[in-house]
Amino acid sequence: MPISFFLVLSALLFSIGVYGVLARANAVLILLSIELMLNAVNINLVAFSAVMGSAVGQVFALFVIAIAAAEVGIGLAIVILIFRNRQTVDVEDMSLLKW
Amino acid sequence: MADTYQEIIFWVIAVVMVVAAFRVVTTRNVVHAALYLVATLLGVAGMYILLLAEFLAWAQVLVYVGAIVVLMLFGLMLTRAPIGSRDYDNDQRLPAAIVAGVLFAVMSWILIDAFEGMKVDLADPELARRGIPTEAVGDSIFSNYVLPFEAVSVLLLAALIGAVLMARKDEAPPPTQAEREA
């Protein structure tokens, strides 16, 4: 099957993730959308690894998975800290540094 | 024939994934958003299996579905998001949809244009025999990419310590010398 199926699928997932990041107001839901985008990138890496017959794409997909785990841990810690200080996770309310 | 099976399975998984991904970014219930994300992530694992990356598929299930989604649900509950009671979107839905649509159009046009003739054919005995065994992935990590691997390890450790330090509740100040002796 043509590799462009996988590439277009991952482009679609990435665009949905971009929409989520731009349109959502809850910080945890924004983190969920970022996960969608990271997974879209991973599909691309693995698809190219299968076509090229090289393991490097899978290696980097594994690195992306590990870094996504770190990102979620830190991201949620920050969100919880903001919630504890301001009793909200709505990014529209976090306008302290906005001019 | 194998090619058509692969395509049928691809379309089934792809439709489920895309519908679930749409629900992740549009649903009004935050817990449902996390559960729809599970469907999308399992679909990604299915794509990995279709692409002969079975180790990565199980890593995906373990790390994403097993750990990250649970962490997200914890985050949703700790921040006591009011479930289903209000709109979670801001007022930029239309511009966001335009940006995402244009991005998708441009990306898919470029990708189709650039990689038109490339095929991944499971029926090809050469690919099925050669594949990309997990062994090759492990060899590659621990020979050519051992430095990024170590960097990721240190990053994970730093993220772990940082997350614990940030999310920890502030304790009472440690007892002073006089209090301890009393």
Side-chain angles (χ1 to χ4, degrees):
Chain A
M1 63 196 292
I3 188 184
S4 39
F5 285 9
F6 291 98
L7 301 184
V8 171
L9 175 71
S10 89
L12 186 55
L13 274 185
F14 191 88
S15 308
I16 293 173
V18 168
Y19 170 80
V21 170
L22 292 178
R24 286 299 206 181
N26 182 313
V28 182
L29 291 176
I30 292 178
L31 282 178
L32 288 184
S33 307
I34 293 174
E35 293 308 312
L36 278 181
M37 292 159 76
L38 286 168
N39 272 281
V41 173
N42 266 356
I43 292 181
N44 257 0
L45 285 173
V46 178
F48 280 118
S49 134
V51 171
M52 311 280 185
S54 148
V56 178
Q58 292 192 29
V59 171
F60 276 88
L62 275 174
F63 287 156
V64 170
I65 289 178
I67 287 169
E71 174 251 322
V72 168
I74 289 290
L76 278 177
I78 292 173
V79 169
I80 287 171
L81 211 58
I82 290 171
F83 178 78
R84 209 176 279 155
N85 283 317
R86 316 200 54 167
Q87 276 70 49
T88 178
V89 287
D90 195 321
V91 289
E92 301 289 300
D93 297 340
M94 300 170 198
S95 50
L96 202 62
L97 288 177
K98 209 162 154 187
W99 185 53
Chain B
M1 198 61 200
D3 203 35
T4 54
Y5 285 141
Q6 194 193 9
E7 281 188 27
I8 292 167
I9 295 169
F10 172 86
W11 285 113
V12 170
I13 298 176
V15 168
V16 171
M17 266 169 77
V18 170
V19 170
F22 263 116
R23 298 294 293 150
V24 171
V25 294
T26 55
T27 182
R28 296 289 169 83
N29 184 325
V30 286
V31 178
H32 286 184
L35 297 179
Y36 278 119
L37 186 72
V38 171
T40 312
L41 297 176
L42 286 176
V44 174
M47 289 297 159
Y48 292 164
I49 290 182
L50 270 184
L51 289 164
L52 301 175
E54 67 277 351
F55 174 73
L56 210 53
W58 292 119
Q60 167 93 2
V61 171
L62 284 175
V63 176
Y64 267 108
V65 183
I68 290 184
V69 171
V70 173
L71 214 57
M72 288 287 187
L73 286 170
F74 266 115
L76 289 173
M77 287 164 190
L78 285 175
T79 54
R80 291 184 215 98
I83 291 167
S85 64
R86 57 165 289 236
D87 211 351
Y88 290 107
D89 292 1
N90 56 27
D91 49 2
Q92 308 166 353
R93 240 182 276 179
L94 183 66
I98 293 171
V99 169
V102 169
L103 188 68
F104 173 63
V106 171
M107 278 203 297
S108 51
W109 175 57
I110 291 174
L111 288 170
I112 291 173
D113 191 52
F115 301 104
E116 221 178 346
M118 289 174 108
K119 278 183 189 304
V120 47
D121 185 10
L122 277 189
D124 176 12
E126 173 62 18
L127 178 66
R129 187 185 55 75
R130 176 172 47 95
I132 300 168
T134 305
E135 202 186 331
V137 179
D139 276 348
S140 190
I141 286 182
F142 291 107
S143 57
N144 293 329
Y145 297 98
V146 71
L147 190 65
F149 177 77
E150 295 296 340
V152 167
S153 316
V154 175
L155 177 84
L156 270 177
L157 181 67
L160 187 77
I161 296 172
V164 169
L165 204 65
M166 278 196 283
R168 186 182 63 166
K169 279 217 166 60
D170 285 331
E171 291 159 13
T176 57
Q177 191 66 34
E179 279 170 349
R180 213 176 288 144
E181 282 164 4

